């Protein structure tokens, strides 16, 4: 049986390499390294890259909601009333109303950050 040994450079790289998002080291046997495929050398844990991908997707969707509401002239109150009218029961009405509130609160925060 032959064992595959890593050379000293690879061992040193594993011992000093840290996740770009959380800053933690990669564990030798357990953690895989992920990247976005660019050549900047930044690597991430699986959970960190999943979070960053989700956050990017959420920010893109929030920007589209802001654009659509701006073009149509709808306010958060208009969307909240429409969501409440479509609800089948009280629990769904409350959940939909809360979702609309959170989306428009985050949209307002994003617009303030850009200003």
């Amino acid at each position: 049986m032959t064992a595959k040994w890593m050379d000293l450079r690879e061992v040193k790289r594993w011992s000093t390499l840290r996740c770009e998002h959380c800053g933690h080291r990669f564990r030798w046997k357990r953690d895989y390294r992920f990247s976005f495929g660019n050549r900047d050398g930044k690597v991430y844990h699986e959970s960190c890259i999943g979070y960053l991908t989700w956050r990017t997707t959420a920010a893109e969707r929030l920007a589209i909601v802001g654009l659509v509401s701006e073009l149509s002239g709808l306010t958060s109150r208009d969307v909240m009333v429409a969501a409440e009218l479509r609800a089948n029961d009280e629990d769904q009405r409350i959940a939909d109303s809360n979702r609309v509130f959170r989306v428009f609160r985050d949209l307002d925060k994003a617009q303030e950050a850009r200003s």
Side-chain angles (χ1 to χ4, degrees):
M1 183 169 112
T2 61
K4 292 185 179 180
W5 294 96
M6 296 184 154
D7 62 350
L8 189 56
R9 286 179 297 167
E10 186 67 17
V11 171
K12 184 178 179 183
R13 186 168 154 229
W14 267 95
S15 66
T16 59
L17 195 63
R18 293 187 176 266
C19 176
E20 189 67 28
H21 178 69
C22 68
H24 291 241
R25 281 192 199 147
F26 291 89
R27 292 189 178 76
W28 187 265
K29 299 263 183 190
R30 190 174 69 182
D31 294 339
Y32 293 103
R33 298 172 292 189
F34 294 88
S35 71
F36 285 108
N38 46 10
R39 296 180 183 254
D40 60 1
K42 295 178 181 177
V43 291
Y44 305 90
H45 291 106
E46 182 177 12
S47 58
C48 293
I49 201 163
Y51 167 73
L52 292 172
T53 304
W54 173 85
R55 189 177 70 183
T56 302
T57 304
E60 290 170 351
R61 290 179 181 166
L62 194 60
I64 294 300
V65 167
L67 179 64
V68 169
S69 66
E70 183 181 320
L71 291 175
S72 66
L74 291 174
T75 64
S76 62
R77 184 70 191 145
D78 297 334
V79 177
M80 194 174 295
V81 168
E84 289 174 355
L85 291 174
R86 295 183 68 177
N88 294 333
D89 60 2
E90 185 67 18
D91 292 336
Q92 185 179 0
R93 186 188 69 76
I94 292 170
D96 290 347
S97 179
N98 288 339
R99 283 189 198 106
V100 171
F101 172 77
R102 286 192 303 267
V103 165
F104 278 91
R105 182 194 62 205
D106 291 346
L107 185 60
D108 290 341
K109 285 182 183 179
Q111 288 173 347
E112 288 175 4
R114 279 189 236 136
S115 302

